[in-house]
Amino acid sequence: MRIFLVSCILSLMFFSCNKKSADEKKIEALPVQIKIDRFDQVFFESSPKDLHTIKKRYPFFFPEGIPDSVWVNKINNPLWRELFAEVQKKYKKSETIEAELEKVFKHIKFHFPKTKSPKVYTVIAEMDYDNKVIYADSLVIISLEMYLGKDHKFYEFPAYIRQNFEQRQMMPDLVASFGKSKIITEKDNTLLSQMIYHGKLLYLKDLLLSGYTDDEKMGYTPKEISWCEENESYIWRYFLENKLLYNNELKLNSRFIAPAPFSKFYLEIDNESPGQVGAWIGWQIVRSFVKNNDVSVAKLLELNAKELFKKSKYKPKK
């Protein structure tokens, strides 16, 4: 009997791997080509007399009502020019980014066939770390100044934010922005709803990113992902014992969902924990749902948190 069960398990694993391999071959064959339009280079390598031509070519980067003097000052400003020089050191050529974008959008095209290949622009913006990559329908904007490396001299941010200012985080940021256009935010705003929402975003990274580790998808260090894996049952027990799943207190977002230096259990373990442990648990719930239910990606993204949680049969690893 035992030999029979082992054989069944091995057969299922083999079938799963074969299916994944077949899907990857289909994805690789999709005709997706991405060419980056380097607005950052066009802008900072131009002189003020070229401004009218640039505005005509890129009208969406020049809001109405802002005088030309603002843009001229930006072109000539020594600090902006120093920042552009630093970006050029790392990203003078963009072939590597284009190749990564093509991989991601092949996966997107496979799982979301109606999605158009986007026009991609690189910019140097205002160091807005909440919007490092913006996906908007058929447009992608990448702020290159946010990917110079976590220890770059220009960054005056807390370590838990800076750790994701690496080139390797560019594609996870893209998928997160893409996912926000596909997932509806629920109105009840309970901790469970927030967990499942972010769990869906992270599950899209499982689908759309090839060759990325869980810590990279999460924006964690390897040590932080290990902490979550080792303490999964404890985190879950804490949520249940304190009746937090269906609680909609606003502070639960900052305690367990939003980026933070640590999660706030109000216990001694706080300083050992990473932020966003609620989002990580939500990810495990969504993964459990996918394992136990045969549904399309579209259906998964539509399901409300309560139904998804009920059907997930989630149990934390001991």
Side-chain angles (χ1 to χ4, degrees):
M1 181 68 176
R2 185 177 178 184
I3 294 173
F4 174 74
L5 287 173
V6 171
S7 297
C8 287
I9 291 169
L10 289 174
S11 295
L12 286 170
M13 289 174 64
F14 180 76
F15 174 77
S16 177
C17 289
N18 269 1
K19 184 178 185 301
K20 187 173 181 180
S21 177
D23 285 349
E24 286 298 325
K25 288 179 180 178
K26 291 177 183 176
I27 290 168
E28 182 61 32
L30 288 172
V32 174
Q33 192 169 23
I34 302 292
K35 184 67 178 175
I36 295 175
D37 192 328
R38 294 296 302 270
F39 173 76
D40 57 310
Q41 292 178 342
V42 172
F43 183 80
F44 283 102
E45 290 176 354
S46 300
S47 66
K49 65 181 177 61
D50 300 318
L51 186 59
H52 177 74
T53 303
I54 298 171
K55 289 176 69 174
K56 192 172 181 180
R57 180 177 170 186
Y58 303 97
F60 39 86
F61 287 133
F62 298 92
E64 291 185 13
I66 297 180
D68 287 354
S69 59
V70 171
W71 309 114
V72 171
N73 288 338
K74 187 171 183 177
I75 290 174
N76 292 327
N77 187 294
L79 291 176
W80 280 106
R81 298 207 66 80
E82 185 181 359
L83 179 56
F84 172 63
E86 292 297 304
V87 169
Q88 282 293 91
K89 284 180 186 177
K90 189 170 182 66
Y91 299 113
K92 187 173 181 62
K93 295 184 178 180
S94 47
E95 288 86 352
T96 301
I97 303 173
E98 288 172 347
E100 287 296 310
L101 286 166
E102 285 180 6
K103 286 182 187 177
V104 172
F105 274 97
K106 283 183 178 185
H107 282 78
I108 289 175
K109 190 74 175 174
F110 180 79
H111 293 286
F112 301 89
K114 293 182 180 179
T115 303
K116 299 176 182 177
S117 294
K119 292 183 178 179
V120 181
Y121 299 89
T122 54
V123 301
I124 296 176
E126 304 286 342
M127 289 199 179
D128 179 3
Y129 60 80
D130 287 325
N131 295 289
K132 293 186 286 178
V133 178
I134 297 173
Y135 172 90
D137 192 16
S138 57
L139 184 72
V140 171
I141 300 172
I142 302 172
S143 296
L144 291 179
E145 85 281 3
M146 301 310 302
Y147 299 100
L148 295 176
K150 64 184 180 184
D151 297 319
H152 195 277
K153 62 182 180 180
F154 282 168
Y155 296 146
E156 296 180 358
F157 298 94
Y160 75 94
I161 293 175
R162 278 191 290 109
Q163 72 187 31
N164 289 307
F165 291 178
E166 300 284 348
Q167 182 176 349
R168 186 70 174 167
Q169 275 300 306
M170 205 177 284
M171 297 306 120
D173 288 342
L174 167 62
V175 173
S177 185
F178 172 81
K180 289 173 184 175
S181 72
K182 298 296 179 183
I183 304 170
I184 298 172
T185 305
E186 294 187 38
K187 294 179 180 179
D188 66 10
N189 205 37
T190 60
L191 179 61
L192 179 65
S193 292
Q194 295 181 68
M195 287 165 59
I196 298 301
Y197 173 83
H198 287 275
K200 289 176 180 179
L201 284 176
L202 287 159
Y203 179 69
L204 282 180
K205 294 182 182 181
D206 287 339
L207 286 181
L208 305 179
L209 295 176
S210 177
Y212 282 74
T213 60
D214 279 5
D215 50 284
E216 289 173 326
K217 295 172 189 173
M218 189 74 198
Y220 275 173
T221 63
K223 183 179 179 181
E224 288 172 331
I225 206 78
S226 294
W227 190 94
C228 287
E229 291 167 350
E230 292 165 7
N231 291 277
E232 182 177 357
S233 60
Y234 174 80
I235 300 167
W236 185 242
R237 188 167 69 250
Y238 179 90
F239 287 168
L240 294 181
E241 290 176 354
N242 288 275
K243 299 179 179 178
L244 297 182
L245 291 187
Y246 299 103
N247 190 318
N248 60 4
E249 290 182 28
L250 290 176
K251 64 181 179 181
L252 290 174
N253 180 280
S254 61
R255 288 178 64 187
F256 300 115
I257 302 294
F262 53 84
S263 293
K264 300 175 183 67
F265 297 92
Y266 303 139
L267 297 168
E268 289 183 7
I269 65 166
D270 282 9
N271 288 332
E272 300 172 11
S273 71
Q276 299 179 279
V277 296
W280 186 83
I281 290 287
W283 190 12
Q284 309 320 304
I285 293 172
V286 174
R287 282 175 163 177
S288 181
F289 173 85
V290 171
K291 183 179 178 181
N292 290 298
N293 297 270
D294 185 15
V295 299
S296 66
V297 179
K299 180 63 176 176
L300 165 69
L301 299 183
E302 289 174 1
L303 278 178
N304 66 58
K306 287 182 181 178
E307 184 178 357
L308 189 151
F309 172 54
K310 183 178 179 180
K311 293 180 178 179
S312 71
K313 301 178 183 177
Y314 169 71
K315 289 183 180 179
K317 297 180 181 68
K318 301 284 186 178

